[in-house]
Amino acid sequence: MPYLLFGLLLAYPFAEVMSLIWLADAIGTAWTVVWMVASFACGVLMLRHSRLAVGLKLMNDMRSGQVGVNSLFGIARYFVAAILLIIPGLISDVIALVLLLPWKSKSNLGQTKVDDGIIDAEYRRVDPIDETPRIER
């Protein structure tokens, strides 16, 4: 197992360089350099404005009552995607773009249900008014 991990660690930079070479061969060197500069700039801007994005997301989740593990995973995905965009290479950029997709989780782990179909109320019984005339004494 440690050899597999070591082999993957050595193979990843090689795969990144090879993907850049194949991309430069397919679309041209200038467009590949533009792609790398643009992805680096996007990653830096995402990290620079991450405090604002995290704050707005947490405020929105707190207002809707949905703060939980899923919202925290969304924030972690944002940070990892920003780091992957900074790393030069096509594979890391594709992984970052997949992480930035809006995922809908089926898990309700750490979240409270907003609408569970139960209506909580108090009631009292009111008898209908009898319309028949009463005998006065």
Side-chain angles (χ1 to χ4, degrees):
M1 184 67 172
Y3 294 118
L4 177 66
L5 186 63
F6 183 68
L8 288 175
L9 245 134
L10 288 178
Y12 177 72
F14 177 75
E16 287 282 7
V17 169
M18 288 306 298
S19 70
L20 283 176
I21 290 173
W22 289 330
L23 183 66
D25 187 39
I27 65 171
T29 305
W31 288 112
T32 303
V33 171
V34 168
W35 174 269
M36 288 190 326
V37 169
S39 69
F40 178 80
C42 287
V44 169
L45 286 175
M46 284 173 62
L47 280 181
R48 187 173 179 178
H49 298 293
S50 65
R51 192 178 338 159
L52 177 65
V54 168
L56 290 176
K57 177 152 178 55
L58 283 177
M59 268 186 7
N60 186 26
D61 289 344
M62 283 176 23
R63 283 184 184 160
S64 65
Q66 298 293 325
V67 175
V69 177
N70 293 332
S71 64
L72 297 178
F73 279 140
I75 294 168
R77 279 191 342 226
Y78 185 82
F79 280 120
V80 171
I83 297 297
L84 286 174
L85 281 174
I86 291 174
I87 296 172
L90 186 63
I91 298 171
S92 62
D93 290 347
V94 168
I95 294 171
L97 293 177
V98 168
L99 286 175
L100 287 175
L101 290 175
W103 293 357
K104 294 291 181 184
S105 175
K106 294 179 183 176
S107 170
N108 289 334
L109 185 63
Q111 293 182 355
T112 59
K113 283 185 144 183
V114 175
D115 185 18
D116 55 359
I118 298 175
I119 300 173
D120 186 21
E122 295 181 12
Y123 71 96
R124 64 182 179 152
R125 183 175 170 180
V126 178
D127 292 328
I129 299 174
D130 189 14
E131 294 295 327
T132 59
R134 296 183 141 192
I135 301 175
E136 293 184 26
R137 295 185 194 191

